[in-house]
Amino acid sequence: MQSEEIKPLILVIFGASGDLARRKLVPAVYDLFKCGLLPENFAILGVSRSGLSDDEFRKKAFLENNLFDISGESEDNKTAFAKKLFYQAIDTNNQADYAKVATRLAALDKDFSTEGNYIFYLSTPPVLYEKIPAFLSAHGLNRAESGYRRLVIEKPFGYDLKTARALNKSLKSHFPEEEIYRIDHYLGKETVQNLLVTRFANGVFEPLWNRNYIHHVEITSAETLGVGNRGGYYDTSGALRDMLQNHLMQIVAHVAMEPPIAPTAESIRSEKSKLFQSLRPIDAVDVAKYSIRGQYMASDMSGKMVNGYRDEEGVPENSKTETYAALKFYIDNWRWSNVPFYIRTGKRMPTKVTEIAITFKDPPHQLFSHADDFVQTHNQLVIRIQPDEGLLMKFGMKVPGQGFKVKNVGMDFHYSDLAEGDVPEAYERLLLDCMKGDATLYAHGDSVEASWNFVEPILEAWKNDNSIPVFGYPAGTWGPLAANEIMEPTDLTWRNPCRQLTEDTNYCKL
Ligand code: BG6
């Protein structure tokens, strides 16, 4: 991937005293610092409403951050990093107050010789996504005579197609597209990146990667946790908006796009964009046939009774918001014509797992009988995104002894065997890329809009068509049974993964 040396810079974090900043961002930047990956001339300016001094911020965000344990870190590292943290309180809704940010940045830029390079990271509620860039721009902070000005924003990128378009338009009126970095943290996961390497660095997979050999593709992203204390936010979102429209569709793009001409942001973006354009639109009348929504109900999970979704804090008692979404769709292009894609995500499922399962077609003529009829007999390639990251190839082998009985066996590779040190956290990798000016692993505005465009009819039908059921599923199960009905042929069912990649049976440790 293209990269350049990291120039001196100031990372400005809006929403700096919030949860995400303290749980993910500051820890990620500290790890980069500790590994010597940041330039000498570097500083962080935290910005938010709370009236904190620099020292108070250093304690809250780092030295005494109860969301990030630094007890094992060396005193030298802790002291050196804390000295790079600064804070500015402002009313983020008040344009005039941004003058304080400008003044503070000018002073820090001088003190740290950061050459006018600023990254503005919006770790704030989405209502501020249009305001902050506009207010930065009103103070001339969006462009520089020397140095760069970048903007990083977290999902949600809009609430539907209309709002996503409006957001993109507004962002682009203040920052050029190439300086807007939309974080989809799934793209920062090593194994999602490894998908590109698996496909395009090997001669063996790509020739089979098409409608001639692939029967269907499944993507599952399951979580054991419920919505926790995010009920208020989640109820306005639901699984389709929270996970499927962004993370899962980005994985779909990595699985299905054509080979890019180079591993650069521009060519990957162009392939993804073509892929999204080839998604067969789901008509309103077909939504019930192609999608399933569900909501978890109170149940016993591993010996502990857990709440149903409607009993969670901040969730209305008659909520119809889905905590589970499954979709079947097609990609109308030369490679994928009539290959069904099945994708699903859910909260309160039996195990935390994200994986892609590619099921290959059977040989045209079956010579041998299978030893275990109940075992799926297809060849399957399972790409595990998390946990127990790796690859599992399932194929038939002869059972030793008389006759020709075939048994499905697995050949596995675990990513941990390859890692020489710690695999970097998604946020570390993504932040580092942004500092280098490499947007390859960031979502482009076009693909965000294209993905909203695709899910829009489902969102609409789920909202307006009361005949489409919201299935209840007991917490700790694999979601509504009806989700099997969208699969074809009719005896096909979802592959329900275990925690361990190779534990590949109906009975496994979760
Ligand atoms: C976030 C969603 O984007 O991804 C959360 O908002 C979800 O609801 C999370 O829990 C899952 O991420 P990961 O990396 O834990 O799989």
Side-chain angles (χ1 to χ4, degrees):
M1 312 261 154
Q2 72 206 176
S3 77
E4 58 179 67
E5 276 309 294
I6 300 180
K7 296 183 181 145
L9 79 133
I10 302 176
L11 175 63
V12 187
I13 304 179
F14 283 89
S17 52
D19 233 48
L20 175 76
R22 295 192 303 130
R23 190 186 299 276
K24 296 276 188 195
L25 298 183
V26 174
V29 185
Y30 173 68
D31 275 345
L32 294 174
F33 170 80
K34 194 172 73 173
C35 297
L37 295 169
L38 297 184
E40 188 55 38
N41 298 348
F42 169 78
I44 292 184
L45 177 64
V47 181
S48 66
R49 278 166 184 267
S50 328
L52 301 173
S53 66
D54 288 343
D55 271 340
E56 283 165 337
F57 177 63
R58 286 173 186 151
K59 283 192 188 137
K60 182 164 187 189
F62 181 58
L63 295 167
E64 294 168 15
N65 179 351
N66 55 356
L67 300 173
F68 174 43
D69 179 14
I70 54 165
S71 52
E73 302 298 323
S74 84
E75 286 307 318
D76 285 355
N77 277 345
K78 285 197 272 193
T79 317
F81 185 70
K83 281 192 190 147
K84 301 215 171 262
L85 302 181
F86 299 87
Y87 185 79
Q88 179 64 54
I90 63 163
D91 173 359
T92 30
N93 280 306
N94 177 354
Q95 177 174 316
D97 244 19
Y98 285 66
K100 294 180 191 156
V101 177
T103 312
R104 199 69 202 276
L105 275 173
L108 288 171
D109 187 41
K110 206 159 146 240
D111 293 350
F112 283 83
S113 308
T114 46
E115 301 166 8
N117 297 320
Y118 306 156
I119 295 179
F120 300 104
Y121 196 117
L122 308 197
S123 172
T124 63
V127 283
L128 291 172
Y129 286 0
E130 295 193 25
K131 278 189 183 162
I132 295 175
F135 294 165
L136 288 171
S137 153
H139 290 270
L141 287 167
N142 59 333
R143 68 182 75 85
E145 274 164 29
S146 67
Y148 62 72
R149 302 294 155 92
R150 292 185 186 138
L151 185 73
V152 184
I153 69 166
E154 285 276 341
K155 71 162 239 292
F157 312 123
Y159 181 75
D160 51 21
L161 181 60
K162 193 168 147 227
T163 49
R165 278 190 180 143
L167 175 63
N168 276 339
K169 194 168 167 219
S170 154
L171 294 176
K172 284 196 246 182
S173 66
H174 304 298
F175 287 82
E177 174 66 34
E178 56 284 8
E179 299 294 9
I180 304 172
Y181 288 71
R182 296 172 191 80
I183 280 219
D184 185 306
H185 79 278
Y186 266 58
L187 294 179
K189 292 185 193 277
E190 271 293 327
T191 36
V192 175
Q193 296 157 36
N194 190 41
L195 251 172
L196 299 181
V197 176
T198 305
R199 284 190 61 195
F200 304 129
N202 296 296
V204 66
F205 298 118
E206 208 46 27
L208 306 180
W209 214 259
N210 58 54
R211 69 188 183 287
N212 295 325
Y213 301 99
I214 292 182
H215 184 269
H216 68 276
V217 176
E218 273 172 71
I219 301 177
T220 292
S221 188
E223 293 181 88
T224 46
L225 294 178
V227 294
N229 56 11
R230 296 166 73 220
Y233 148 76
Y234 194 88
D235 203 63
T236 61
S237 168
L240 196 71
R241 288 189 171 91
D242 185 53
M243 289 288 293
L244 194 143
Q245 179 275 337
N246 37 69
H247 306 320
L248 263 61
M249 292 311 288
Q250 287 293 336
I251 297 179
V252 168
H254 279 221
V255 172
M257 71 182 182
E258 293 302 311
I261 51 168
T264 58
E266 198 44 42
S267 44
I268 292 181
R269 173 202 145 193
S270 136
E271 294 311 331
K272 280 191 186 174
S273 159
K274 277 191 254 167
L275 191 270
F276 283 128
Q277 284 168 39
S278 324
L279 293 170
R280 187 185 299 172
I282 298 178
D283 291 337
V285 287
D286 287 330
V287 169
K289 204 166 109 199
Y290 285 101
S291 69
I292 296 288
R293 56 177 164 168
Q295 196 182 75
Y296 63 80
M297 299 182 306
S299 183
D300 191 290
M301 261 183 98
S302 311
K304 203 175 137 223
M305 201 57 196
V306 299
N307 276 345
Y309 175 68
R310 292 181 184 184
D311 305 321
E312 303 279 22
E313 192 191 318
V315 176
E317 60 188 23
N318 57 355
S319 168
K320 287 181 77 184
T321 300
E322 78 288 354
T323 59
Y324 171 100
L327 209 64
K328 167 184 175 175
F329 63 90
Y330 292 91
I331 297 171
D332 283 338
N333 65 14
W334 198 275
R335 183 188 288 265
W336 294 113
S337 179
N338 288 328
V339 177
F341 278 67
Y342 302 100
I343 63 178
R344 66 175 170 170
T345 181
K347 300 230 181 252
R348 285 282 186 233
M349 307 203 81
T351 191
K352 162 110 182 151
V353 65
T354 302
E355 70 165 36
I356 301 148
I358 314 274
T359 302
F360 292 90
K361 289 183 175 168
D362 285 336
H365 176 59
Q366 295 281 358
L367 283 180
F368 310 112
S369 62
H370 263 269
D372 310 303
D373 282 343
F374 66 90
V375 174
Q376 287 224 355
T377 56
H378 308 286
N379 293 150
Q380 215 170 33
L381 176 68
V382 180
I383 304 172
R384 182 59 77 88
I385 306 290
Q386 61 185 20
D388 195 12
E389 293 82 354
L391 237 72
L392 175 71
M393 183 75 212
K394 291 167 65 182
F395 50 90
M397 284 282 116
K398 180 180 174 299
V399 178
Q402 291 181 37
F404 281 98
K405 280 212 181 267
V406 181
K407 186 178 170 57
N408 255 25
V409 297
M411 204 160 70
D412 54 307
F413 159 73
H414 299 260
Y415 214 61
S416 53
D417 296 343
L418 204 62
E420 281 167 10
D422 287 342
V423 175
E425 269 276 307
Y427 274 93
E428 287 175 37
R429 168 68 200 256
L430 292 171
L431 275 169
L432 200 63
D433 281 4
C434 174
M435 291 173 186
K436 289 178 180 167
D438 180 354
T440 310
L441 298 177
Y442 283 82
H444 192 276
D446 290 354
S447 68
V448 168
E449 286 183 25
S451 170
W452 276 118
N453 188 37
F454 176 63
V455 300
E456 188 89 343
I458 307 160
L459 288 171
E460 282 294 305
W462 283 4
K463 188 168 130 214
N464 301 323
D465 184 347
N466 284 329
S467 71
I468 302 177
V470 182
F471 293 98
Y473 61 96
T477 64
W478 281 107
L481 282 176
N484 284 329
E485 286 161 22
I486 62 174
M487 304 194 100
E488 54 182 352
T490 46
D491 56 347
L492 192 69
T493 56
W494 290 87
R495 184 191 125 86
N496 288 337
C498 302
R499 197 173 163 74
Q500 301 299 323
L501 175 62
T502 45
E503 273 189 1
D504 191 48
T505 65
N506 282 335
Y507 303 97
C508 58
K509 209 165 89 220
L510 296 172

